[in-house]
Amino acid sequence: MSLRSSSQRLTPTTAVALKTFLTPLTSSSPLFPLLAPNAVSRRSIFGFNFGKKQVQPSDNPLTAEYLKQKPKGPPALIRGDLSSSSIFESDDAGPRTPQVRPDESRARAVRDPSLMAAVLDPVPENRKRWERKMVIRDIRRRGRLSRTQKIRRTERESLSKSHFIKTSVKKLGPLARQISGKSIEDAIVQMRFSKKKAAKEVKKHLEHARDEAIVKRGMALGAIEGTKGEQVEIELKDGKRKLVKDRTSLYIDQAWVGRGTDDKAPDHRARGQIHVMSLPYTSISVILKEEATRIRLSEEREKKRQNRKLWVHLPDRPITAQRQYYSW
């Protein structure tokens, strides 16, 4: 029987596909013969199929093309190596075998300064205007530094903010007030023996802030560089006296907390009611400074006290804005 449509004769491929779908389905003929494998064997136990499918190669051209393009195994692992200037490079390790990368045959792209300027210097006119402004300011001041600039050049500080701790501002605030003004070591000891749950996280952050100040800012290196200075007794802001043995030792100048985002959790109540609980998160920030800052503040406080004039009950000052006769 010839298959013809109302307008044109069907192609041989269309006729074969139509004949395949018109053939009645049996237990051995799948619904999509083009996608089904020829033979599938499974292990059966009590009527249940277990184990991995064992698919034999098919004569289907689509399957054969897919298997031809499919990779044989996992991609090769490319291991990195240390740079020549790395501090972890050992001199006794000997020469290393360079790893050949698959893309080394390609020419390496050279950085184009014009393309990098789009990010590093997006508005050149503003940069030039700012540089001109700074030069004019230095000329007007004749190279003299302000008091703030002198302090920043002679004293160092480090600001460190912690991650968000699962607690509230009301609970973390007392810990911040407890460690403020203490040396970094005393604050760590206070948090170590504190009964507060958040004290453990605060202790970890203080240790991280101390290490960060030493590595990044070069603080607390008086014992190594020989800049500890002589022992001096200073007066603190609250009037207490303290003996400073190392000018470069760290102390917590400021400590405050910051509110973070809140998580939501269901609170199941009676009679099928569900309330929404708010789980707050809070961070703590600390500013670490060296004892040299407190020594300078103590000296300024003492100098101000010495320059204070003696208070007199009736000072001898000229009388102004008064008439020599009565106005009434």
Side-chain angles (χ1 to χ4, degrees), residues 94-110:
R96 294 179 176 270
T97 304
Q99 298 287 341
V100 180
R101 297 179 179 270
D103 55 346
E104 281 189 354
S105 58
R106 304 177 183 178
R108 295 186 178 181
V110 182

Side-chain angles (χ1 to χ4, degrees), residues 71-296:
K72 301 299 181 183
L77 181 62
I78 301 176
R79 298 185 180 275
D81 196 3
L82 298 176
S83 61
S84 59
S85 60
S86 177
I87 61 175
F88 300 101
E89 183 72 15
S90 177
D91 298 337
D92 302 334
R96 294 179 176 270
T97 304
Q99 298 287 341
V100 180
R101 297 179 179 270
D103 55 346
E104 281 189 354
S105 58
R106 304 177 183 178
R108 295 186 178 181
V110 182
R111 292 186 176 182
D112 189 359
S114 60
L115 298 179
M116 298 173 60
V119 177
L120 301 179
D121 193 9
V123 187
E125 293 77 9
N126 293 352
R127 175 183 56 81
K128 295 178 181 178
R129 189 183 302 112
W130 180 83
E131 291 177 353
R132 181 176 178 272
K133 181 180 178 181
M134 294 297 105
V135 171
I136 294 175
R137 189 180 68 175
D138 293 341
I139 293 175
R140 287 179 177 176
R141 294 181 178 178
R142 300 178 183 178
R144 293 173 296 183
L145 300 177
S146 62
R147 183 173 181 272
T148 305
Q149 292 175 342
K150 291 180 180 179
I151 292 177
R152 289 188 174 274
R153 289 193 177 189
T154 55
E155 301 175 4
R156 288 170 288 192
E157 65 179 34
S158 176
L159 170 63
S160 179
K161 179 183 177 181
S162 70
H163 63 281
F164 285 111
I165 306 172
K166 192 175 181 180
T167 184
S168 63
V169 175
K170 185 177 179 180
K171 296 178 181 178
L172 196 59
L175 295 180
R177 290 189 291 270
Q178 181 181 355
I179 64 177
S180 179
K182 291 183 172 60
S183 63
I184 187 66
E185 302 300 336
D186 293 346
I188 292 176
V189 173
Q190 291 286 335
M191 295 297 101
R192 177 184 176 186
F193 295 100
S194 177
K195 296 182 180 180
K196 302 292 184 179
K197 182 179 179 181
K200 184 177 180 180
E201 298 294 334
V202 176
K203 174 178 172 292
K204 292 181 181 179
H205 175 62
L206 291 179
E207 294 175 349
H208 169 73
R210 176 193 59 188
D211 300 341
E212 187 179 21
I214 295 174
V215 174
K216 288 188 176 181
R217 301 295 182 181
M219 304 169 67
L221 297 178
I224 300 177
E225 299 177 352
T227 57
K228 295 177 60 174
E230 299 180 356
Q231 297 184 5
V232 58
E233 186 178 2
I234 63 174
E235 180 184 357
L236 301 181
K237 185 169 55 175
D238 55 357
K240 297 181 180 180
R241 310 291 296 184
K242 180 182 179 181
L243 180 62
V244 178
K245 300 181 180 180
D246 187 0
R247 296 177 58 92
T248 61
S249 57
L250 299 176
Y251 78 97
I252 301 176
D253 182 64
Q254 300 179 33
W256 68 90
V257 297
R259 188 185 304 274
T261 57
D262 295 352
D263 284 351
K264 305 299 180 181
D267 183 16
H268 299 274
R269 311 295 293 182
R271 298 184 180 182
Q273 296 182 359
I274 300 179
H275 298 174
V276 179
M277 294 189 301
S278 179
L279 306 179
Y281 283 82
T282 313
S283 64
I284 181 171
S285 303
V286 294
I287 294 182
L288 301 183
K289 293 185 179 181
E290 295 179 336
E291 290 291 347
T293 302
R294 286 207 282 200
I295 293 176
R296 176 183 58 83

